[in-house]
Amino acid sequence: MEKEEMDRRIIRIELFEFDVSCCYHHARGKLENCRYGLLKLTDEGGETGWGECLMSVGEKHFDLVNWARFLYRFQKSTLTQAFDTVRLYRVLWGNVKADLVEMALYDLKARSQRKPFVDVLGSFGSFRSARHSGRSENGSFHLETAAARSVGGGPCPDTESPFSSRVRQTAGFGHTVADRVFPVSGLFQAGRELHPGCCGSLLDDLRNACMLRQEGMALAMHKDYLIGPACCLWEHTAAVLGADWLEEGGNPEPARLASLQASERIAGTGFQLDQPVLFEKSRAYFVVI
């Protein structure tokens, strides 16, 4: 079944631009004149996958059509071919574009398999061995270097907080998943606050959160600059890990486009917006059919 899903072709690629006057990024500080991109992939089975990125910050003029031309590479691709294309062109396109598509592809795969995003990403299964090697199974993440990686390539602020280390039962999810998925011995270590964008891509952030949780760390995860599928994914991961979810902090946080729907088994990121709502809220639109 999984092979059949990976062989489905992408038949529609849509990119929506959302403009936000300012937002807060933990590693980069206050960002002004932000342009977000929300990528929606649709396969021939009618399933969708979503990605989110910051396309530009502080630029007076922005050409969405020119920025999005790289998406033609995925026209009529199978899911397997699309993953290969991201790996092949990452250096040429840069991490922002590659991460945007990679997130949407993983979301599409997860929804097709009716699994949470993090299950398909392999974050939960890969870290038992990673505790000793410092790497995930695909070799893409090293915990010891996480603090040194940021969006700008410089040191990443690492804030610790003495918040409660209890594993709370998140309303709407029905059970405390963290104790079941991450059995740990002894008491929790000191708490850690996690901000999106401090380990590189959001996928790296997810792997970092899962590893810290397995090591017994109590977590608090901040919304910060996220607005769309990345926000839903980050919040759902917080619920799965038993982390405290912190939104509306002391810094400017843009309004989210959609709230997370409470469910024990959210497929993919859990993000979904109807086309009319997307067109109403977005500033510009790009499509590959």
Side-chain angles (χ1 to χ4, degrees):
M1 179 63 73
E2 182 175 343
K3 184 179 185 302
E4 179 182 336
E5 291 154 358
M6 296 296 286
D7 288 339
R8 290 180 184 172
R9 295 194 177 275
I10 297 170
I11 62 171
R12 192 176 183 87
I13 303 168
E14 299 167 274
L15 183 66
F16 300 85
E17 177 189 333
F18 296 84
D19 293 358
V20 176
S21 59
C22 70
C23 68
Y24 173 75
H25 191 293
H26 187 68
R28 300 169 62 183
K30 183 179 178 180
L31 305 178
E32 297 183 343
N33 192 17
C34 305
R35 292 183 175 91
Y36 288 78
L38 260 66
L39 177 64
K40 180 183 179 183
L41 304 179
T42 306
D43 69 14
E44 56 190 343
E47 197 58 80
T48 59
W50 300 76
E52 173 184 339
C53 76
L54 272 170
M55 297 186 294
S56 74
V57 175
E59 296 182 14
K60 291 184 178 180
H61 305 287
F62 180 75
D63 186 343
L64 178 66
V65 173
N66 185 56
W67 191 92
R69 288 188 186 279
F70 78 103
L71 293 172
Y72 282 110
R73 285 280 180 183
F74 300 97
Q75 190 174 26
K76 308 303 180 184
S77 294
T78 66
L79 204 54
T80 299
Q81 291 169 342
F83 274 114
D84 289 341
T85 299
V86 171
R87 285 190 287 268
L88 182 63
Y89 286 92
R90 176 175 286 275
V91 174
L92 179 63
W93 291 339
N95 289 329
V96 172
K97 292 180 178 179
D99 292 341
L100 170 68
V101 177
E102 189 174 32
M103 178 182 172
L105 292 174
Y106 272 114
D107 191 30
L108 181 57
K109 181 179 178 181
R111 291 171 192 257
S112 297
Q113 297 179 8
R114 302 294 183 265
K115 293 180 179 179
F117 188 105
V118 285
D119 285 2
V120 172
L121 182 63
S123 301
F124 292 165
S126 64
F127 286 105
R128 295 192 182 278
S129 60
R131 293 176 64 180
H132 304 288
S133 67
R135 302 180 72 87
S136 63
E137 288 179 348
N138 63 9
S140 62
F141 179 76
H142 198 294
L143 178 62
E144 295 176 354
T145 64
R149 298 176 60 195
S150 71
V151 176
C156 170
D158 189 10
T159 306
E160 295 198 2
S161 168
F163 62 88
S164 172
S165 62
R166 62 191 171 87
V167 180
R168 60 185 174 82
Q169 181 167 331
T170 307
F173 285 82
H175 54 275
T176 308
V177 187
D179 283 336
R180 178 170 57 83
V181 177
F182 293 91
V184 292
S185 58
L187 298 174
F188 279 111
Q189 300 175 23
R192 176 73 63 86
E193 293 189 3
L194 300 180
H195 297 261
C198 284
C199 288
S201 72
L202 188 69
L203 303 189
D204 288 333
D205 289 321
L206 293 174
R207 296 183 177 108
N208 184 35
C210 293
M211 179 175 283
L212 290 173
R213 178 60 186 85
Q214 188 177 34
E215 293 295 335
M217 190 76 69
L219 306 176
M221 298 168 69
H222 293 251
K223 171 188 173 295
D224 289 354
Y225 65 94
L226 303 179
I227 65 169
C231 186
C232 288
L233 173 57
W234 193 236
E235 183 179 5
H236 182 223
T237 303
V240 170
L241 299 183
D244 285 314
W245 174 251
L246 302 179
E247 194 167 342
E248 302 299 334
N251 297 293
E253 295 183 2
R256 59 193 302 165
L257 295 173
S259 59
L260 180 67
Q261 300 299 314
S263 170
E264 289 187 23
R265 294 291 294 180
I266 290 178
T269 60
F271 177 87
Q272 193 72 38
L273 272 185
D274 294 332
Q275 207 82 350
V277 178
L278 284 166
F279 282 126
E280 178 186 350
K281 292 176 177 273
S282 63
R283 176 181 177 84
Y285 174 68
F286 177 88
V287 62
V288 178
I289 302 176

